Amino acid sequence: MQQKDIKRLTLYLLFAPFVLWIFLLILLPHIGMVILSLREKIAPRVYEFGLGNYIDFINEPIYWNTLLRTGSMSLLVTALALIIGFPIAYYIAKIAGNRSRGGLFLLCLIPLWVSDLIRAFGWILLLRETGVISTFLLNYGFIDTPIEFLYNDAAVIVGLVYTVILFMIVPLVSTLDGMDNSMIEAGYNLGGNSFTVMRRIIIPYAMPGIVSGCIVVFMLTAGSYLTPILLGGKNSSWFTEQIYDQFITRFNWESGAAFGFLLLAFTSIVIWLGLKLSGQTLANTVAKS
């Protein structure tokens, strides 16, 4: 066997697990979901292919209103994660010393050491009517009666931002870390103030990391289930709850598959629009972040 053939075989063996993972856990389930969503039940155990499940979605305002609400809330969470995460990422990449970077990253990683369920219950302990915050405000006379901070949009947004902010910080730090400090110094030397340097130099350079972080955060938020259900309660109105209801409660796997595919299509369209508006491409974003 020639050296060229050995290198090619080695390359195939290295990529084989990745290709199998993509095919078995991503492509194959999605293909099955699309096929299942096109099945219409016309009689017990009798199906035919059609668009009935998608037509039912369009004809029921509560479904597409919930999808639009989930999308708008996910965009809000993404924007808040960017606003909060960008200064943190900039400090880690450009201001913090080499020794403190590891400690700061460790603090960011701590929320990922526990499951989504435990994190959500942690917020419940803080925000419920008899929780830490309400009890503190009551004991020090800020309020007269206990306040329930749970089961509203604000609680859901806080919980989701806390859950996904690390996925915004990491690509931003990776992008900003590759930025030469002389570019920032040149901006100040040419008469620019902090706002101008941020707007004309730092943000354009960090745009691949911003777009990458926004994509990950938006997808994770739109597909979240536990946090909206536990912190929002009956008022959550999250689209993943509709998907769960179709699959588990109603045993209507065909509609559940259609809803799942619609969520994927909706988030993909939002990401495509975001890439167009930002002037970025997916390949460029992945390569630089």
Side-chain angles (χ1 to χ4, degrees):
M1 183 178 294
Q2 298 180 356
Q3 188 70 20
K4 185 178 180 180
D5 296 332
I6 295 176
K7 291 182 178 179
R8 183 179 301 174
L9 178 61
T10 303
L11 182 63
Y12 290 158
L13 292 176
L14 287 174
F15 277 92
F18 174 74
V19 173
L20 287 175
W21 179 72
I22 293 292
F23 178 75
L24 294 177
L25 298 181
I26 298 180
L27 291 180
L28 195 60
H30 281 81
I31 293 172
M33 186 176 68
V34 172
I35 295 174
L36 185 61
S37 69
L38 295 174
R39 296 175 64 189
E40 297 182 38
K41 189 175 184 179
I42 59 176
R45 298 184 180 181
V46 179
Y47 300 90
E48 65 179 16
F49 284 96
L51 299 175
N53 297 311
Y54 296 95
I55 295 174
D56 292 339
F57 170 84
I58 296 174
N59 292 334
E60 183 56 61
I62 190 174
Y63 291 150
W64 48 267
N65 281 335
T66 304
L67 178 59
L68 293 177
R69 184 177 185 276
T70 300
S72 60
M73 292 277 285
S74 299
L75 288 174
L76 177 59
V77 171
T78 302
L80 291 175
L82 177 60
I83 294 172
I84 299 172
F86 192 91
I88 297 174
Y90 184 81
Y91 182 86
I92 294 175
K94 291 300 175 186
I95 300 177
N98 294 329
R99 293 183 178 180
S100 58
R101 285 187 183 183
L104 292 173
F105 257 120
L106 182 62
L107 290 176
C108 294
L109 287 171
I110 286 176
L112 296 182
W113 291 0
V114 295
S115 67
D116 289 343
L117 182 63
I118 301 301
R119 289 199 296 266
F121 275 113
W123 282 108
I124 291 175
L125 292 175
L126 288 174
L127 300 176
R128 65 181 180 177
E129 189 175 2
T130 57
V132 176
I133 296 178
S134 181
T135 302
F136 174 83
L137 296 176
L138 186 64
N139 291 338
Y140 284 89
F142 293 102
I143 56 176
D144 297 327
T145 58
I147 298 178
E148 180 66 83
F149 293 101
L150 285 174
Y151 313 126
N152 52 61
D153 291 343
V156 174
I157 291 173
V158 169
L160 287 173
V161 170
Y162 172 77
T163 301
V164 302
I165 192 169
L166 174 66
F167 299 97
M168 181 67 74
I169 293 175
V170 170
L172 285 173
V173 171
S174 177
T175 304
L176 290 170
D177 192 48
M179 182 180 185
D180 194 342
N181 292 332
S182 60
M183 297 175 62
I184 301 175
E185 295 174 1
Y188 284 112
N189 292 335
L190 292 173
N193 54 29
S194 299
F195 177 76
T196 303
V197 171
M198 178 67 68
R199 182 174 60 89
R200 301 290 297 273
I201 298 177
I202 298 175
I203 291 180
Y205 188 92
M207 188 57 66
I210 293 174
V211 174
S212 177
C214 288
I215 290 175
V216 175
V217 168
F218 176 77
M219 294 295 287
L220 289 175
T221 304
S224 179
Y225 176 75
L226 280 176
T227 302
I229 295 300
L230 293 177
L231 300 184
K234 295 181 180 180
N235 300 322
S236 63
S237 298
W238 213 257
F239 194 68
T240 49
E241 184 181 2
Q242 300 286 351
I243 298 174
Y244 178 89
D245 183 62
Q246 294 294 330
F247 274 111
I248 306 302
T249 304
R250 301 186 181 185
F251 298 101
N252 190 347
W253 283 46
E254 292 75 26
S255 292
F259 286 12
F261 182 75
L262 286 169
L263 178 61
L264 175 63
F266 175 77
T267 52
S268 300
I269 291 173
V270 172
I271 290 172
W272 179 79
L273 290 174
L275 290 172
K276 290 296 182 181
L277 292 174
S278 64
Q280 298 290 314
T281 62
L282 188 60
N284 182 58
T285 299
V286 173
K288 291 186 177 182
S289 60

Coordinates of all heavy atoms in Angstrom, one line a residue, residues 122-150 155 158:
G122 N -33.2 26.0 41.1 CA -32.5 27.0 41.9 C -33.2 28.4 41.7 O -33.3 29.1 42.7
W123 N -33.6 28.7 40.5 CA -34.3 30.0 40.3 C -35.7 30.0 41.0 O -36.2 31.0 41.5 CB -34.5 30.3 38.8 CG -33.3 30.8 38.2 CD1 -32.4 30.1 37.3 CD2 -32.7 32.1 38.4 NE1 -31.4 31.0 36.9 CE2 -31.5 32.2 37.6 CE3 -33.1 33.2 39.1 CZ2 -30.7 33.3 37.5 CZ3 -32.3 34.3 39.1 CH2 -31.1 34.4 38.3
I124 N -36.3 28.8 41.1 CA -37.6 28.7 41.8 C -37.4 29.0 43.3 O -38.2 29.7 43.9 CB -38.2 27.3 41.6 CG1 -38.6 27.1 40.1 CG2 -39.3 27.0 42.5 CD1 -39.1 25.7 39.8
L125 N -36.3 28.5 43.8 CA -36.0 28.8 45.3 C -35.8 30.3 45.5 O -36.1 30.8 46.6 CB -34.8 28.0 45.7 CG -35.0 26.5 45.8 CD1 -33.6 25.8 46.2 CD2 -36.0 26.1 46.9
L126 N -35.2 30.9 44.5 CA -35.0 32.4 44.6 C -36.3 33.2 44.4 O -36.5 34.2 45.1 CB -33.9 32.8 43.7 CG -32.5 32.4 43.9 CD1 -31.6 32.8 42.8 CD2 -32.0 33.0 45.2
L127 N -37.1 32.8 43.4 CA -38.1 33.7 42.9 C -39.5 33.4 43.4 O -40.4 34.2 43.3 CB -38.1 33.7 41.4 CG -36.9 34.1 40.7 CD1 -37.0 33.9 39.2 CD2 -36.5 35.6 41.0
R128 N -39.7 32.2 44.0 CA -41.1 31.9 44.5 C -41.5 32.8 45.6 O -40.8 33.6 46.2 CB -41.2 30.4 44.9 CG -40.3 30.1 46.1 CD -40.5 28.6 46.5 NE -39.7 28.3 47.7 CZ -39.7 27.1 48.2 NH1 -40.4 26.1 47.6 NH2 -38.9 26.8 49.3
E129 N -42.8 32.7 45.9 CA -43.4 33.7 46.9 C -42.8 33.6 48.3 O -42.7 34.6 49.0 CB -44.9 33.4 47.0 CG -45.7 34.4 47.8 CD -47.2 34.1 47.8 OE1 -47.6 33.1 47.2 OE2 -47.9 34.9 48.4
T130 N -42.4 32.4 48.6 CA -41.7 32.2 49.9 C -40.2 32.0 49.7 O -39.5 31.5 50.6 CB -42.2 31.0 50.7 OG1 -42.1 29.8 49.8 CG2 -43.7 31.2 51.0
G131 N -39.7 32.5 48.6 CA -38.3 32.3 48.2 C -37.3 33.3 48.9 O -37.8 34.1 49.7
V132 N -36.1 33.2 48.5 CA -35.0 34.1 49.1 C -35.3 35.5 48.9 O -35.2 36.4 49.8 CB -33.7 33.7 48.6 CG1 -32.6 34.6 49.1 CG2 -33.4 32.2 48.9
I133 N -35.6 35.9 47.6 CA -35.7 37.4 47.3 C -37.0 38.0 48.0 O -36.9 39.0 48.6 CB -35.8 37.6 45.8 CG1 -34.5 37.1 45.1 CG2 -36.1 39.0 45.5 CD1 -34.5 37.2 43.6
S134 N -38.1 37.3 47.9 CA -39.3 37.8 48.5 C -39.2 37.9 50.0 O -39.6 38.9 50.7 CB -40.5 36.9 48.1 OG -41.7 37.4 48.7
T135 N -38.6 36.9 50.6 CA -38.4 36.9 52.1 C -37.4 38.0 52.5 O -37.7 38.7 53.5 CB -37.8 35.5 52.6 OG1 -38.7 34.5 52.2 CG2 -37.6 35.5 54.1
F136 N -36.4 38.2 51.8 CA -35.4 39.3 52.1 C -36.1 40.7 52.0 O -36.0 41.5 52.9 CB -34.3 39.3 51.1 CG -33.3 40.4 51.2 CD1 -32.3 40.4 52.2 CD2 -33.4 41.6 50.4 CE1 -31.4 41.5 52.3 CE2 -32.6 42.6 50.5 CZ -31.6 42.6 51.5
L137 N -36.9 40.9 51.0 CA -37.6 42.2 50.8 C -38.6 42.4 51.9 O -38.8 43.5 52.4 CB -38.3 42.3 49.4 CG -37.3 42.3 48.2 CD1 -38.1 42.3 46.9 CD2 -36.4 43.5 48.3
L138 N -39.3 41.3 52.3 CA -40.3 41.3 53.4 C -39.7 41.6 54.7 O -40.2 42.4 55.5 CB -41.1 40.0 53.4 CG -42.3 40.0 54.3 CD1 -43.3 41.0 53.9 CD2 -42.9 38.6 54.4
N139 N -38.6 41.0 55.0 CA -37.9 41.1 56.3 C -37.4 42.5 56.5 O -37.3 43.0 57.7 CB -36.8 40.1 56.5 CG -37.4 38.7 56.7 OD1 -38.6 38.5 57.0 ND2 -36.6 37.7 56.4
Y140 N -36.9 43.1 55.5 CA -36.3 44.5 55.6 C -37.3 45.6 55.3 O -36.9 46.7 55.1 CB -35.1 44.6 54.7 CG -33.9 43.8 55.3 CD1 -33.6 42.5 55.0 CD2 -33.0 44.5 56.1 CE1 -32.6 41.8 55.5 CE2 -31.9 43.8 56.7 CZ -31.7 42.4 56.3 OH -30.6 41.8 56.9
G141 N -38.5 45.3 55.2 CA -39.6 46.3 55.0 C -39.7 46.9 53.7 O -40.4 47.9 53.5
F142 N -39.1 46.3 52.6 CA -39.3 46.9 51.3 C -40.7 46.6 50.7 O -41.2 47.3 49.9 CB -38.2 46.3 50.4 CG -36.9 46.8 50.7 CD1 -36.0 45.9 51.3 CD2 -36.4 48.0 50.4 CE1 -34.7 46.3 51.7 CE2 -35.2 48.5 50.7 CZ -34.3 47.6 51.3
I143 N -41.3 45.5 51.2 CA -42.7 45.1 50.8 C -43.5 44.7 52.0 O -42.9 44.4 53.0 CB -42.7 43.9 49.7 CG1 -41.9 42.7 50.3 CG2 -42.0 44.4 48.4 CD1 -41.9 41.5 49.4
D144 N -44.8 44.8 51.9 CA -45.7 44.5 53.0 C -46.2 43.0 52.9 O -46.4 42.4 54.0 CB -46.9 45.4 53.0 CG -46.5 46.9 53.2 OD1 -45.5 47.1 53.9 OD2 -47.2 47.7 52.6
T145 N -46.3 42.5 51.7 CA -46.7 41.1 51.6 C -45.8 40.4 50.6 O -45.1 41.0 49.8 CB -48.2 41.0 51.0 OG1 -48.2 41.7 49.8 CG2 -49.1 41.7 52.0
P146 N -45.7 39.1 50.7 CA -44.8 38.3 49.8 C -45.2 38.5 48.4 O -46.4 38.6 48.0 CB -45.0 36.9 50.3 CG -45.5 37.0 51.7 CD -46.3 38.2 51.7
I147 N -44.2 38.5 47.5 CA -44.4 38.7 46.1 C -44.0 37.4 45.3 O -42.9 36.9 45.6 CB -43.7 39.9 45.5 CG1 -44.1 41.2 46.2 CG2 -43.8 40.0 44.0 CD1 -43.4 42.4 45.8
E148 N -44.8 37.0 44.4 CA -44.5 35.8 43.5 C -43.8 36.3 42.3 O -44.4 37.0 41.4 CB -45.8 35.1 43.2 CG -45.6 33.9 42.3 CD -44.8 32.8 43.0 OE1 -45.5 32.0 43.8 OE2 -43.6 32.7 42.8
F149 N -42.5 36.1 42.2 CA -41.8 36.5 41.0 C -41.8 35.4 39.9 O -41.3 35.7 38.8 CB -40.3 36.8 41.4 CG -40.2 38.0 42.3 CD1 -40.0 37.8 43.7 CD2 -40.2 39.2 41.8 CE1 -39.8 38.9 44.5 CE2 -40.1 40.3 42.6 CZ -39.9 40.2 44.0
L150 N -42.3 34.3 40.2 CA -42.4 33.2 39.2 C -43.6 33.3 38.2 O -44.5 34.2 38.4 CB -42.4 31.8 39.9 CG -41.1 31.3 40.5 CD1 -41.3 30.1 41.3 CD2 -40.0 31.1 39.4
A155 N -39.4 36.0 34.5 CA -38.7 34.9 35.1 C -38.2 33.9 34.1 O -37.1 33.4 34.2 CB -39.7 34.1 36.1
V158 N -35.1 35.6 32.5 CA -33.9 35.6 33.4 C -33.3 34.2 33.4 O -32.1 34.0 33.3 CB -34.3 36.0 34.8 CG1 -33.2 35.7 35.8 CG2 -34.7 37.5 34.8

